[in-house]
Amino acid sequence: MAFTLESAQAIFAETGKPSPIPGILSDFNRLSLEDRLALLWYAYTETGRTITRAALGAASMALVEGMLNQIKQMPPAEQTRVMFDLARRADTPISRSYGYFSANTKLGFWYQLAEWMAQGTVAPIPTNYQMSTDAQLLFESIKNLDGGQQIQVLRDIVLNMGFDPSVVPDEAPESEDFQFERTEPVSTERITVKGVDDPTPLRYFEAMNRDDFAAAVALFEPEGALQPPFQKPIVGREAITTYMREEAQGLTMMPIEGITEVLPDGSKKLKVTGKVQTPWFGVNVAMNIAWRFALNPKGEIFFVAIDMLASPEELVNLRPPSYR
Ligand code: 45D
């Protein structure tokens, strides 16, 4: 009874509540451009999450400095237009270059603009701007999210700005080598997780905490798959490695507990809950996460889904009420 991608995607699906994040993102995309930029400004500044020094060091991006300085020299109305162009994914030179940036470069780009907007060197959101009722309601929902969910919303919006590179994928320039310096020394400790005896997930977490993606990916079977939050599965060791180099550098994984089910043929289903920190916010923000692993009888990872938990209660309530 080998897993298929579909059957693996469904493991423990009944144990998690739906996340509020997709709904918030689709509501956001229905707002006017003015509302979107204003709401982002409030969400970024008023939720008071601070970006860490480590992230800033890593985000000193030679690649975009020219573009940032070009924006800084523009008259305020033109600066605002650049931001609108990014938000509506326009096909303009700046929005096109932005579309090909790596995830971290996009975040670092906006971080710099936000700093300049706060100082007044780049056109700020007008203080007298009145958001629509829909935007105000959405802002209230965002305030009610936990910190880990708030930064996930910001990240997703920033990543989906700029000209959509899938329209002309051939033009994609080579992505730069982006390194996050860890503020904490690399952990060499062995991880233990209550309810998890299988070594594979434990070795996975240890390797990820060392940014040793070769070791982490070696735990997958060759056609294994990794499904990031709200995304489709990434299939095959090579594709997973490329993804991790871009998206998983400097993450700290703190699994807390898990449940294991062994199937008749020796394959296993495991669900592990815990916290993950991103180098952007360091120890200031922890995301509540579940990993759902499907292991083949050889103990290799056939599939792992990474889910954002809907609420912190799900960290300890691994089973739905009927199973407890
Ligand atoms: O438009 O096991 C202004 C995987 C207003 C790997 C602004 C993983 C105008 C496997 C404020 C200027 C990676 C899947 C904009 C695990 C405006 C694995 C600026 C999961 C845009 C566990 C806004 C990892 C700004 C996870 C500056 C879940 C926004 C990682 C900046 C999650 C936002 C990481 C930033 C997250 C957000 C990082 C820096 C959620 C960073 C978020």
Side-chain angles (χ1 to χ4, degrees), residues 174-200:
E174 271 189 46
S175 76
E176 82 277 39
D177 198 9
F178 195 93
Q179 292 283 5
F180 267 114
E181 301 287 331
R182 282 176 182 273
T183 41
E184 303 286 316
V186 166
S187 154
T188 49
E189 268 171 54
R190 288 265 138 148
I191 284 183
T192 54
V193 179
K194 196 177 127 198
V196 178
D197 295 326
D198 193 284
T200 304

Side-chain angles (χ1 to χ4, degrees), residues 32-252:
S32 71
L33 292 172
E34 285 87 346
D35 270 352
R36 282 190 231 170
L37 293 180
L39 178 54
L40 282 169
W41 179 255
Y42 298 134
Y44 181 67
T45 55
E46 286 193 25
T47 52
R49 316 264 155 229
T50 41
I51 288 184
T52 65
R53 292 233 317 282
L56 297 184
S60 62
M61 308 150 295
L63 205 87
V64 291
E65 238 156 68
M67 194 164 121
L68 282 163
N69 285 324
Q70 185 193 341
I71 296 172
K72 204 179 178 184
Q73 310 303 322
M74 292 174 174
E78 213 175 315
Q79 293 170 337
T80 305
R81 212 208 41 209
V82 168
M83 294 184 215
F84 274 64
D85 287 345
L86 291 169
R88 66 185 176 86
R89 315 201 72 173
D91 188 2
T92 62
I94 289 182
S95 169
R96 199 177 252 260
S97 311
Y98 179 98
Y100 293 110
F101 288 169
S102 70
N104 284 323
T105 304
K106 287 178 178 164
L107 292 166
F109 170 88
W110 274 110
Y111 172 79
Q112 182 58 70
L113 283 187
E115 289 285 281
W116 285 342
M117 287 163 81
Q119 292 164 14
T121 24
V122 164
I125 304 298
T127 44
N128 59 356
Y129 179 74
Q130 269 292 319
M131 286 199 295
S132 69
T133 315
D134 283 349
Q136 288 174 29
L137 287 172
L138 191 56
F139 184 39
E140 290 309 312
S141 327
I142 293 175
K143 279 198 233 168
N144 287 330
L145 298 175
D146 65 49
Q149 292 170 324
Q150 287 172 340
I151 65 169
Q152 183 74 41
V153 167
L154 284 174
R155 182 178 193 272
D156 195 277
I157 293 170
V158 165
L159 266 43
N160 283 306
M161 285 183 164
F163 184 66
D164 182 356
S166 63
V167 178
V168 272
D170 294 347
E171 284 187 19
E174 271 189 46
S175 76
E176 82 277 39
D177 198 9
F178 195 93
Q179 292 283 5
F180 267 114
E181 301 287 331
R182 282 176 182 273
T183 41
E184 303 286 316
V186 166
S187 154
T188 49
E189 268 171 54
R190 288 265 138 148
I191 284 183
T192 54
V193 179
K194 196 177 127 198
V196 178
D197 295 326
D198 193 284
T200 304
L202 305 176
R203 297 298 92 82
Y204 172 81
F205 296 126
E206 291 163 0
M208 293 299 284
N209 281 344
R210 296 191 310 264
D211 286 347
D212 185 349
F213 304 127
V217 173
L219 297 165
F220 286 74
E221 61 169 75
E223 285 309 301
L226 174 125
Q227 179 178 287
F230 315 117
Q231 289 181 44
K232 292 197 188 72
I234 298 161
V235 182
R237 284 185 182 155
E238 201 185 315
I240 296 173
T241 306
T242 306
Y243 174 82
M244 283 185 174
R245 288 218 183 97
E246 184 163 314
E247 307 275 338
Q249 289 226 26
L251 294 176
T252 302

